[in-house]
Amino acid sequence: MADYVFPFEKLEVWKLSKAFATKIYKNTENFPNEEKFGLVSQLRRAAVSVASNLAEGSSRKSKKDQAHFSQIAYSSLMEVLCQLEIARDIGYISKNDLQDLRSDASKIAYMINSLRRSQTC
């Protein structure tokens, strides 16, 4: 018997967001210890929030509620981008890593916006 697949697990944007959160975890592993409860925690929580809000929104019955959670996911993604820029300015991540993460974030942002548009029609 096949395992049940929840609605959010079918969303390509959720899959990419989950992979993005994993990348954020890996990229923050070597941040200084004094950032453990600062930038590391903030980046990780915001990245996880993207995928989590997409999952939570998929469980909502009304399109308006779904769109609300998609908007929160998008906002969390923008928070991650801001924090990544700060991490780069401080020298915690390389220019190449930042470009790679920004590329992922651009794809996710486009997909979230497309999803949100479909939820508001």
mmCIF file of all heavy atoms in Angstrom, residues 63-95:
data_model
loop_
_atom_site.group_PDB
_atom_site.id
_atom_site.type_symbol
_atom_site.label_atom_id
_atom_site.label_comp_id
_atom_site.label_asym_id
_atom_site.label_seq_id
_atom_site.Cartn_x
_atom_site.Cartn_y
_atom_site.Cartn_z
ATOM 1 N N LYS A 63 -9.949 29.989 -0.460
ATOM 2 C CA LYS A 63 -8.859 30.524 -1.278
ATOM 3 C C LYS A 63 -8.223 31.737 -0.604
ATOM 4 O O LYS A 63 -7.019 31.940 -0.678
ATOM 5 C CB LYS A 63 -9.368 30.903 -2.677
ATOM 6 C CG LYS A 63 -9.816 29.721 -3.507
ATOM 7 C CD LYS A 63 -8.638 28.914 -3.977
ATOM 8 C CE LYS A 63 -9.067 27.831 -4.942
ATOM 9 N NZ LYS A 63 -7.944 27.005 -5.347
ATOM 10 N N LYS A 64 -9.041 32.523 0.076
ATOM 11 C CA LYS A 64 -8.531 33.708 0.777
ATOM 12 C C LYS A 64 -7.533 33.303 1.863
ATOM 13 O O LYS A 64 -6.463 33.907 1.990
ATOM 14 C CB LYS A 64 -9.696 34.500 1.382
ATOM 15 C CG LYS A 64 -9.277 35.786 2.054
ATOM 16 C CD LYS A 64 -10.473 36.550 2.588
ATOM 17 C CE LYS A 64 -10.008 37.802 3.306
ATOM 18 N NZ LYS A 64 -11.121 38.574 3.845
ATOM 19 N N ASP A 65 -7.870 32.289 2.644
ATOM 20 C CA ASP A 65 -6.952 31.795 3.678
ATOM 21 C C ASP A 65 -5.690 31.217 3.058
ATOM 22 O O ASP A 65 -4.574 31.426 3.552
ATOM 23 C CB ASP A 65 -7.626 30.732 4.547
ATOM 24 C CG ASP A 65 -8.507 31.310 5.634
ATOM 25 O OD1 ASP A 65 -8.455 32.542 5.860
ATOM 26 O OD2 ASP A 65 -9.251 30.536 6.256
ATOM 27 N N GLN A 66 -5.845 30.463 1.984
ATOM 28 C CA GLN A 66 -4.684 29.890 1.302
ATOM 29 C C GLN A 66 -3.746 30.997 0.822
ATOM 30 O O GLN A 66 -2.528 30.920 1.017
ATOM 31 C CB GLN A 66 -5.130 29.028 0.123
ATOM 32 C CG GLN A 66 -5.847 27.767 0.526
ATOM 33 C CD GLN A 66 -6.452 27.029 -0.658
ATOM 34 O OE1 GLN A 66 -6.290 27.423 -1.805
ATOM 35 N NE2 GLN A 66 -7.165 25.954 -0.366
ATOM 36 N N ALA A 67 -4.320 32.026 0.210
ATOM 37 C CA ALA A 67 -3.521 33.142 -0.294
ATOM 38 C C ALA A 67 -2.807 33.871 0.841
ATOM 39 O O ALA A 67 -1.663 34.318 0.684
ATOM 40 C CB ALA A 67 -4.407 34.106 -1.075
ATOM 41 N N HIS A 68 -3.468 33.975 1.985
ATOM 42 C CA HIS A 68 -2.860 34.626 3.155
ATOM 43 C C HIS A 68 -1.571 33.892 3.565
ATOM 44 O O HIS A 68 -0.541 34.522 3.799
ATOM 45 C CB HIS A 68 -3.863 34.658 4.309
ATOM 46 C CG HIS A 68 -3.295 35.164 5.591
ATOM 47 N ND1 HIS A 68 -3.001 36.496 5.799
ATOM 48 C CD2 HIS A 68 -2.944 34.510 6.722
ATOM 49 C CE1 HIS A 68 -2.497 36.637 7.014
ATOM 50 N NE2 HIS A 68 -2.457 35.455 7.594
ATOM 51 N N PHE A 69 -1.620 32.572 3.616
ATOM 52 C CA PHE A 69 -0.438 31.810 4.010
ATOM 53 C C PHE A 69 0.636 31.832 2.926
ATOM 54 O O PHE A 69 1.832 31.816 3.231
ATOM 55 C CB PHE A 69 -0.815 30.381 4.408
ATOM 56 C CG PHE A 69 -1.381 30.309 5.791
ATOM 57 C CD1 PHE A 69 -2.745 30.378 6.003
ATOM 58 C CD2 PHE A 69 -0.543 30.214 6.893
ATOM 59 C CE1 PHE A 69 -3.275 30.339 7.285
ATOM 60 C CE2 PHE A 69 -1.058 30.180 8.181
ATOM 61 C CZ PHE A 69 -2.417 30.244 8.376
ATOM 62 N N SER A 70 0.221 31.906 1.674
ATOM 63 C CA SER A 70 1.204 32.066 0.591
ATOM 64 C C SER A 70 1.923 33.400 0.726
ATOM 65 O O SER A 70 3.130 33.491 0.498
ATOM 66 C CB SER A 70 0.525 31.959 -0.779
ATOM 67 O OG SER A 70 0.044 30.654 -0.992
ATOM 68 N N GLN A 71 1.185 34.435 1.112
ATOM 69 C CA GLN A 71 1.795 35.748 1.317
ATOM 70 C C GLN A 71 2.784 35.713 2.481
ATOM 71 O O GLN A 71 3.859 36.311 2.399
ATOM 72 C CB GLN A 71 0.724 36.817 1.568
ATOM 73 C CG GLN A 71 1.284 38.216 1.721
ATOM 74 C CD GLN A 71 2.056 38.678 0.500
ATOM 75 O OE1 GLN A 71 1.566 38.587 -0.611
ATOM 76 N NE2 GLN A 71 3.267 39.167 0.694
ATOM 77 N N ILE A 72 2.447 35.024 3.547
ATOM 78 C CA ILE A 72 3.364 34.898 4.681
ATOM 79 C C ILE A 72 4.623 34.145 4.249
ATOM 80 O O ILE A 72 5.747 34.526 4.615
ATOM 81 C CB ILE A 72 2.684 34.210 5.876
ATOM 82 C CG1 ILE A 72 1.563 35.086 6.432
ATOM 83 C CG2 ILE A 72 3.698 33.894 6.975
ATOM 84 C CD1 ILE A 72 0.683 34.403 7.456
ATOM 85 N N ALA A 73 4.460 33.095 3.450
ATOM 86 C CA ALA A 73 5.615 32.344 2.945
ATOM 87 C C ALA A 73 6.520 33.257 2.129
ATOM 88 O O ALA A 73 7.752 33.236 2.278
ATOM 89 C CB ALA A 73 5.150 31.149 2.113
ATOM 90 N N TYR A 74 5.921 34.073 1.267
ATOM 91 C CA TYR A 74 6.693 35.011 0.448
ATOM 92 C C TYR A 74 7.441 36.008 1.342
ATOM 93 O O TYR A 74 8.616 36.295 1.115
ATOM 94 C CB TYR A 74 5.763 35.739 -0.522
ATOM 95 C CG TYR A 74 6.489 36.673 -1.450
ATOM 96 C CD1 TYR A 74 7.049 36.210 -2.627
ATOM 97 C CD2 TYR A 74 6.622 38.028 -1.138
ATOM 98 C CE1 TYR A 74 7.727 37.073 -3.484
ATOM 99 C CE2 TYR A 74 7.298 38.889 -1.973
ATOM 100 C CZ TYR A 74 7.851 38.402 -3.147
ATOM 101 O OH TYR A 74 8.535 39.254 -3.986
ATOM 102 N N SER A 75 6.759 36.521 2.341
ATOM 103 C CA SER A 75 7.389 37.480 3.264
ATOM 104 C C SER A 75 8.566 36.852 3.996
ATOM 105 O O SER A 75 9.608 37.491 4.174
ATOM 106 C CB SER A 75 6.359 38.000 4.266
ATOM 107 O OG SER A 75 5.337 38.699 3.600
ATOM 108 N N SER A 76 8.426 35.607 4.409
ATOM 109 C CA SER A 76 9.532 34.905 5.074
ATOM 110 C C SER A 76 10.708 34.725 4.125
ATOM 111 O O SER A 76 11.866 34.837 4.529
ATOM 112 C CB SER A 76 9.073 33.547 5.595
ATOM 113 O OG SER A 76 8.150 33.708 6.639
ATOM 114 N N LEU A 77 10.415 34.471 2.857
ATOM 115 C CA LEU A 77 11.483 34.340 1.864
ATOM 116 C C LEU A 77 12.244 35.657 1.716
ATOM 117 O O LEU A 77 13.479 35.667 1.634
ATOM 118 C CB LEU A 77 10.881 33.896 0.526
ATOM 119 C CG LEU A 77 11.861 33.645 -0.605
ATOM 120 C CD1 LEU A 77 12.810 32.492 -0.277
ATOM 121 C CD2 LEU A 77 11.095 33.353 -1.895
ATOM 122 N N MET A 78 11.527 36.767 1.726
ATOM 123 C CA MET A 78 12.181 38.078 1.642
ATOM 124 C C MET A 78 13.032 38.340 2.882
ATOM 125 O O MET A 78 14.114 38.929 2.793
ATOM 126 C CB MET A 78 11.137 39.196 1.472
ATOM 127 C CG MET A 78 10.379 39.136 0.157
ATOM 128 S SD MET A 78 11.430 39.205 -1.314
ATOM 129 C CE MET A 78 11.339 37.488 -1.887
ATOM 130 N N GLU A 79 12.572 37.874 4.023
ATOM 131 C CA GLU A 79 13.352 37.988 5.260
ATOM 132 C C GLU A 79 14.668 37.225 5.122
ATOM 133 O O GLU A 79 15.734 37.722 5.487
ATOM 134 C CB GLU A 79 12.534 37.443 6.433
ATOM 135 C CG GLU A 79 13.213 37.564 7.765
ATOM 136 C CD GLU A 79 12.369 37.021 8.909
ATOM 137 O OE1 GLU A 79 11.169 36.720 8.721
ATOM 138 O OE2 GLU A 79 12.928 36.893 10.017
ATOM 139 N N VAL A 80 14.602 36.018 4.574
ATOM 140 C CA VAL A 80 15.815 35.223 4.361
ATOM 141 C C VAL A 80 16.779 35.974 3.446
ATOM 142 O O VAL A 80 17.987 36.048 3.728
ATOM 143 C CB VAL A 80 15.488 33.826 3.773
ATOM 144 C CG1 VAL A 80 16.752 33.094 3.365
ATOM 145 C CG2 VAL A 80 14.699 32.992 4.768
ATOM 146 N N LEU A 81 16.274 36.531 2.367
ATOM 147 C CA LEU A 81 17.146 37.246 1.427
ATOM 148 C C LEU A 81 17.838 38.426 2.097
ATOM 149 O O LEU A 81 19.039 38.652 1.888
ATOM 150 C CB LEU A 81 16.352 37.711 0.212
ATOM 151 C CG LEU A 81 16.010 36.620 -0.786
ATOM 152 C CD1 LEU A 81 15.038 37.127 -1.841
ATOM 153 C CD2 LEU A 81 17.274 36.079 -1.441
ATOM 154 N N CYS A 82 17.107 39.171 2.893
ATOM 155 C CA CYS A 82 17.702 40.287 3.629
ATOM 156 C C CYS A 82 18.823 39.805 4.540
ATOM 157 O O CYS A 82 19.922 40.365 4.563
ATOM 158 C CB CYS A 82 16.621 41.007 4.435
ATOM 159 S SG CYS A 82 17.266 42.285 5.528
ATOM 160 N N GLN A 83 18.565 38.750 5.276
ATOM 161 C CA GLN A 83 19.548 38.220 6.217
ATOM 162 C C GLN A 83 20.767 37.632 5.498
ATOM 163 O O GLN A 83 21.894 37.736 5.983
ATOM 164 C CB GLN A 83 18.887 37.186 7.125
ATOM 165 C CG GLN A 83 17.865 37.823 8.032
ATOM 166 C CD GLN A 83 16.916 36.824 8.662
ATOM 167 O OE1 GLN A 83 16.972 35.634 8.419
ATOM 168 N NE2 GLN A 83 16.007 37.329 9.482
ATOM 169 N N LEU A 84 20.550 37.038 4.329
ATOM 170 C CA LEU A 84 21.668 36.524 3.544
ATOM 171 C C LEU A 84 22.568 37.659 3.064
ATOM 172 O O LEU A 84 23.800 37.525 3.049
ATOM 173 C CB LEU A 84 21.159 35.715 2.346
ATOM 174 C CG LEU A 84 20.584 34.348 2.656
ATOM 175 C CD1 LEU A 84 19.938 33.743 1.411
ATOM 176 C CD2 LEU A 84 21.654 33.405 3.219
ATOM 177 N N GLU A 85 21.957 38.756 2.673
ATOM 178 C CA GLU A 85 22.747 39.918 2.252
ATOM 179 C C GLU A 85 23.606 40.433 3.410
ATOM 180 O O GLU A 85 24.776 40.773 3.225
ATOM 181 C CB GLU A 85 21.830 41.036 1.725
ATOM 182 C CG GLU A 85 21.204 40.738 0.392
ATOM 183 C CD GLU A 85 22.202 40.746 -0.768
ATOM 184 O OE1 GLU A 85 23.295 41.350 -0.644
ATOM 185 O OE2 GLU A 85 21.876 40.134 -1.808
ATOM 186 N N ILE A 86 23.033 40.469 4.589
ATOM 187 C CA ILE A 86 23.784 40.904 5.772
ATOM 188 C C ILE A 86 24.919 39.912 6.049
ATOM 189 O O ILE A 86 26.058 40.316 6.308
ATOM 190 C CB ILE A 86 22.852 41.057 6.990
ATOM 191 C CG1 ILE A 86 21.893 42.235 6.760
ATOM 192 C CG2 ILE A 86 23.640 41.229 8.288
ATOM 193 C CD1 ILE A 86 20.735 42.314 7.739
ATOM 194 N N ALA A 87 24.606 38.611 5.975
ATOM 195 C CA ALA A 87 25.629 37.584 6.204
ATOM 196 C C ALA A 87 26.771 37.721 5.205
ATOM 197 O O ALA A 87 27.951 37.549 5.556
ATOM 198 C CB ALA A 87 25.008 36.193 6.118
ATOM 199 N N ARG A 88 26.458 38.051 3.971
ATOM 200 C CA ARG A 88 27.498 38.252 2.954
ATOM 201 C C ARG A 88 28.324 39.491 3.289
ATOM 202 O O ARG A 88 29.550 39.476 3.205
ATOM 203 C CB ARG A 88 26.860 38.367 1.570
ATOM 204 C CG ARG A 88 27.816 38.776 0.472
ATOM 205 C CD ARG A 88 28.905 37.714 0.236
ATOM 206 N NE ARG A 88 29.891 38.259 -0.659
ATOM 207 C CZ ARG A 88 31.194 38.314 -0.392
ATOM 208 N NH1 ARG A 88 31.670 37.825 0.728
ATOM 209 N NH2 ARG A 88 32.037 38.833 -1.238
ATOM 210 N N ASP A 89 27.659 40.581 3.668
ATOM 211 C CA ASP A 89 28.372 41.817 4.015
ATOM 212 C C ASP A 89 29.346 41.602 5.166
ATOM 213 O O ASP A 89 30.424 42.187 5.195
ATOM 214 C CB ASP A 89 27.393 42.928 4.378
ATOM 215 C CG ASP A 89 26.599 43.442 3.186
ATOM 216 O OD1 ASP A 89 26.950 43.107 2.031
ATOM 217 O OD2 ASP A 89 25.612 44.178 3.407
ATOM 218 N N ILE A 90 28.967 40.759 6.110
ATOM 219 C CA ILE A 90 29.803 40.478 7.278
ATOM 220 C C ILE A 90 30.924 39.491 6.932
ATOM 221 O O ILE A 90 31.923 39.408 7.620
ATOM 222 C CB ILE A 90 28.935 39.930 8.437
ATOM 223 C CG1 ILE A 90 27.918 40.976 8.879
ATOM 224 C CG2 ILE A 90 29.786 39.514 9.625
ATOM 225 C CD1 ILE A 90 26.866 40.440 9.836
ATOM 226 N N GLY A 91 30.731 38.747 5.848
ATOM 227 C CA GLY A 91 31.743 37.786 5.425
ATOM 228 C C GLY A 91 31.463 36.365 5.874
ATOM 229 O O GLY A 91 32.358 35.515 5.852
ATOM 230 N N TYR A 92 30.225 36.083 6.260
ATOM 231 C CA TYR A 92 29.871 34.747 6.733
ATOM 232 C C TYR A 92 29.579 33.779 5.596
ATOM 233 O O TYR A 92 29.668 32.571 5.776
ATOM 234 C CB TYR A 92 28.661 34.789 7.665
ATOM 235 C CG TYR A 92 28.903 35.475 8.994
ATOM 236 C CD1 TYR A 92 27.839 35.847 9.790
ATOM 237 C CD2 TYR A 92 30.178 35.747 9.463
ATOM 238 C CE1 TYR A 92 28.029 36.470 11.014
ATOM 239 C CE2 TYR A 92 30.385 36.364 10.674
ATOM 240 C CZ TYR A 92 29.305 36.726 11.441
ATOM 241 O OH TYR A 92 29.501 37.333 12.658
ATOM 242 N N ILE A 93 29.171 34.302 4.435
ATOM 243 C CA ILE A 93 28.954 33.439 3.272
ATOM 244 C C ILE A 93 29.657 34.049 2.065
ATOM 245 O O ILE A 93 29.862 35.263 1.997
ATOM 246 C CB ILE A 93 27.457 33.196 2.949
ATOM 247 C CG1 ILE A 93 26.727 34.494 2.628
ATOM 248 C CG2 ILE A 93 26.760 32.449 4.065
ATOM 249 C CD1 ILE A 93 25.315 34.281 2.109
ATOM 250 N N SER A 94 30.011 33.198 1.145
ATOM 251 C CA SER A 94 30.722 33.656 -0.045
ATOM 252 C C SER A 94 29.768 34.289 -1.048
ATOM 253 O O SER A 94 28.548 34.066 -1.002
ATOM 254 C CB SER A 94 31.444 32.482 -0.702
ATOM 255 O OG SER A 94 30.512 31.603 -1.305
ATOM 256 N N LYS A 95 30.347 35.023 -1.969
ATOM 257 C CA LYS A 95 29.558 35.625 -3.041
ATOM 258 C C LYS A 95 28.882 34.536 -3.874
ATOM 259 O O LYS A 95 27.718 34.670 -4.243
ATOM 260 C CB LYS A 95 30.463 36.480 -3.926
ATOM 261 C CG LYS A 95 29.756 37.211 -5.024
ATOM 262 C CD LYS A 95 30.725 38.074 -5.815
ATOM 263 C CE LYS A 95 29.994 38.790 -6.938
ATOM 264 N NZ LYS A 95 30.910 39.621 -7.738
#
